[in-house]
Amino acid sequence: MTYLLLPGRHHLLTRFQADYLGRLAGDDTTVVWAVTSANHGNTRRNPVPYHRREAAIERFSLLVGLRSVVVPIFDTAPTDRFAEVTLKSIAVATGLDLTPADTVVACSTPEVAALYAELGFRIAEVEADPANDVKAERPWDVLLRLAAGDETWRDLAHPATLDVFERYQLTETVRAVVNDPVVGDEGGLTATRDYRTYIEAFAAGAARKWDLVRPYVRPGRIVDIGCGAGAVLELADREPALRESDLIGVEIARHLYEECVHKKAQGVFANPNVYFYRRNVLGGAVFPPRSVDTTLTFALTHEIWSYGERWESLRRFVQAIYDQTVPGGVWINSDVCGPDGRDRRVLLTLDDSDGVNPPTARRDLGQLPAAEAGEYVAGLSTRARLDQFAVDFAFPLAYEPTGEAVTIGLGDAMEFLTHKDYPHNWLSEREEQFCGLEFADWKALLTDVGFDLDPASYAWRNDWIIDNRVAPVASVTHADGRPLDWPATHVLLIARRPRNT
């Protein structure tokens, strides 16, 4: 018996592949489909989950008359040993020890084919084979036609793919994911975010967050949008008063969503009605109208503001929350916020002795690996970090040197001071504006949409941040030098949908 190995993501199968493999595979040939990135789905690079890819391959094999084995290959860090890792994964999963003596590798990606050629395997070039009478499109190119709305993709895709895509409504899913302007190739907001750090931070702050919002949670259907690794829902799960409630987590970042699913599989949650969904809330409504009793959002709305279209995106989100809330239901939002009067000019004095002070800020940090950029920023003085932040920040930030201080807007000053201690996530944090809205802006927006703002809502100052991160290296005064207290840094909003709506 001989083998034909097809390594690839296999999101879409083509009519060309059916013809090519039908001619290449003999009666005694087993086709081994090594489905790479099998643990990824709903990302721009991997929009179709593995189990749907497997279903299409099995149907394809039946229709074409191929004897096939489908093997999931989990994603790994980039390595020159990719071919060896794949072969070992196949051996572990199936017991098949594929060798150059009995296996041909069918692959049209030159870089991948070269790795197998180095191991001695013969290569069938599939779409890249110069002997083809016509230049065939690779499956990924056909998928991009689908994403672009070009209906000719249906003429190139195999009926097995068309069938699975139709039955499981994958066409619109693929278009939405591939064209998503917010989610990166690997399913996160940015490619430079250190999710291990975020998981640790979420876990450390979960009890504080839950204590803050627990008095206002209404039992029933409870949804945590931007749930991170599910730490707050773990605490909700332990509340006897909520044991009959549905606990639902929504998370956009693949790494965090997978951590939630893993926790549920490991039995972390006692409540059987715990569910997790991977959704981009900027893409539209997540839940049906009037179906949610309590919505929780922690440190989310500033991301919607930052990565979306500012007021337009935020208003759409607030409207979607209002629409999904039952009459009498509540939305509890805890986030960073800007100080009252954020445009007023102040004098900001920063420590220049706690790091190096280059003559000019670097303008190429975005071209460096995230770790290298983080190390560079970590070595700067607080004063030098301001210069670097002004270059890197995705929003305009202006200031003028004034003696040993700088003259700057109060909102911009707090923007820098609340960002400066994230050097190792600098390239992702620079994309987010913390101080875009102050409390008065929130009040106007919520009431305009139709919410009633509970009197328990308030802007507050995180004194731990001020005492431990800000005050030791910075001071602020009015423009004329008069003392100025540090302003609010966070907001808690308790927004209720009126019962008569």
Side-chain angles (χ1 to χ4, degrees):
M1 178 177 293
T2 61
Y3 299 96
L4 184 61
L5 172 61
L6 271 75
R9 287 176 284 163
H10 302 305
H11 292 287
L12 182 146
L13 307 170
T14 66
R15 296 176 188 271
F16 172 82
Q17 286 178 311
D19 178 66
Y20 186 88
L21 296 176
R23 289 184 283 108
L24 191 63
D27 293 337
D28 64 341
T29 300
T30 296
V31 181
V32 180
W33 302 76
V35 183
T36 58
S37 299
N39 54 326
H40 291 188
N42 206 34
T43 71
R44 190 177 299 163
R45 194 168 72 91
N46 293 290
V48 181
Y50 167 74
H51 60 290
R52 302 299 187 217
R53 290 183 257 172
E54 181 185 35
I57 292 170
E58 293 286 9
R59 182 155 182 77
F60 175 96
S61 300
L62 179 65
L63 294 175
V64 178
L66 300 176
R67 184 177 189 272
S68 290
V69 173
V70 187
V71 184
I73 308 296
F74 279 19
D75 201 47
T76 61
T79 173
D80 291 338
R81 300 182 62 202
F82 171 76
E84 296 174 58
V85 170
T86 300
L87 292 168
K88 289 178 181 178
S89 297
I90 293 170
V92 170
T94 66
L96 297 176
D97 185 14
L98 305 183
T99 69
D102 60 15
T103 303
V104 173
V105 176
C107 180
S108 62
T109 304
E111 297 81 3
V112 176
L115 297 177
Y116 286 96
E118 288 178 6
L119 298 178
F121 286 89
R122 292 166 291 160
I123 306 298
E125 297 176 288
V126 202
E127 295 89 357
D129 190 338
N132 293 329
D133 294 334
V134 294
K135 181 173 176 55
E137 288 196 39
R138 292 182 174 90
W140 184 253
D141 296 327
V142 178
L143 190 91
L144 292 181
R145 284 196 185 205
L146 181 163
D150 181 352
E151 289 300 313
T152 60
W153 77 273
R154 297 180 182 276
D155 300 326
L156 301 173
H158 189 269
T161 285
L162 296 174
D163 174 58
V164 170
F165 274 41
E166 179 180 353
R167 281 189 286 136
Y168 295 102
Q169 302 179 44
L170 293 177
T171 301
E172 288 307 315
T173 297
V174 169
R175 284 178 178 153
V177 172
V178 173
N179 296 319
D180 195 320
V182 176
V183 183
D185 287 353
E186 300 304 327
L189 286 175
T190 64
T192 58
R193 183 165 290 188
D194 179 358
Y195 283 100
R196 182 181 64 179
T197 300
Y198 278 76
I199 291 173
E200 293 171 353
F202 289 147
R208 172 182 54 79
K209 293 175 182 177
W210 182 243
D211 289 343
L212 184 68
V213 305
R214 175 63 188 93
Y216 313 106
V217 172
R218 169 174 160 155
R221 201 176 202 197
I222 300 169
V223 176
D224 184 356
I225 300 180
C227 66
V232 170
L233 289 179
E234 287 185 55
L235 298 175
D237 178 65
R238 300 172 192 170
E239 289 280 346
L242 302 179
R243 64 181 181 274
E244 299 297 327
S245 296
D246 291 348
L247 305 179
I248 302 170
V250 179
E251 178 54 53
I252 186 176
R254 175 180 58 80
H255 310 72
L256 301 179
Y257 167 75
E258 289 175 352
E259 181 67 16
C260 292
V261 174
H262 175 70
K263 285 182 177 179
K264 182 177 178 180
Q266 294 300 308
V268 169
F269 298 95
N271 186 337
N273 297 312
V274 176
Y275 309 95
F276 293 100
Y277 297 96
R278 187 148 180 271
R279 299 286 190 275
N280 177 8
V281 295
L282 291 181
V286 177
F287 296 96
R290 302 185 178 205
S291 65
V292 176
D293 295 276
T294 299
T295 300
L296 304 173
T297 52
F298 298 96
L300 172 73
T301 50
H302 79 273
E303 292 189 341
I304 293 172
W305 168 275
S306 300
Y307 292 103
E309 300 167 321
R310 314 297 181 259
W311 280 108
E312 292 81 359
S313 295
L314 189 59
R315 184 182 175 86
R316 284 198 301 270
F317 176 74
V318 174
Q319 185 67 59
I321 297 297
Y322 180 87
D323 292 342
Q324 77 179 27
T325 304
V326 302
V330 62
W331 172 31
I332 307 168
N333 180 31
S334 174
D335 206 348
V336 291
C337 78
D340 292 342
R342 62 184 181 276
D343 293 331
R344 56 183 158 150
R345 308 297 282 176
V346 298
L347 285 176
L348 176 66
T349 303
L350 301 171
D351 191 348
D352 63 359
S353 65
D354 55 349
V356 299
N357 295 280
T360 58
R362 291 187 63 163
R363 296 187 174 274
D364 64 344
L365 287 194
Q367 310 302 316
L368 301 179
E372 185 176 338
E375 289 299 325
Y376 175 78
V377 173
L380 298 176
S381 73
T382 302
R383 176 63 183 83
R385 285 192 198 186
L386 173 63
D387 294 335
Q388 190 63 53
F389 185 68
V391 169
D392 295 328
F393 193 40
F395 302 82
L397 188 145
Y399 57 93
E400 305 87 39
T402 307
E404 295 183 354
V406 296
T407 299
I408 190 172
L410 180 58
D412 286 342
M414 295 307 296
E415 200 75 65
F416 165 68
L417 293 171
T418 50
H419 275 83
K420 70 177 181 62
D421 291 294
Y422 299 102
H424 296 292
N425 278 310
W426 189 262
L427 297 181
S428 61
E429 293 293 343
R430 67 177 181 173
E431 304 292 338
E432 299 182 11
Q433 188 175 32
F434 295 171
C435 301
L437 287 83
E438 55 189 80
F439 185 71
D441 297 323
W442 273 113
K443 183 176 181 179
L445 175 59
L446 292 172
T447 54
D448 186 51
V449 168
F451 279 112
D452 287 338
L453 192 63
D454 191 291
S457 304
Y458 67 105
W460 59 283
R461 185 178 71 195
N462 187 320
D463 286 330
W464 186 93
I465 290 178
I466 298 299
D467 295 341
N468 291 275
R469 293 182 173 178
V470 174
V473 294
S475 61
V476 66
T477 68
H478 289 280
D480 59 7
R482 289 179 295 119
L484 177 64
D485 287 337
W486 292 110
T489 58
H490 291 72
V491 67
L492 176 66
L493 300 165
I494 315 298
R496 302 185 184 277
R497 177 167 179 165
R499 292 185 179 276
N500 61 350
T501 58

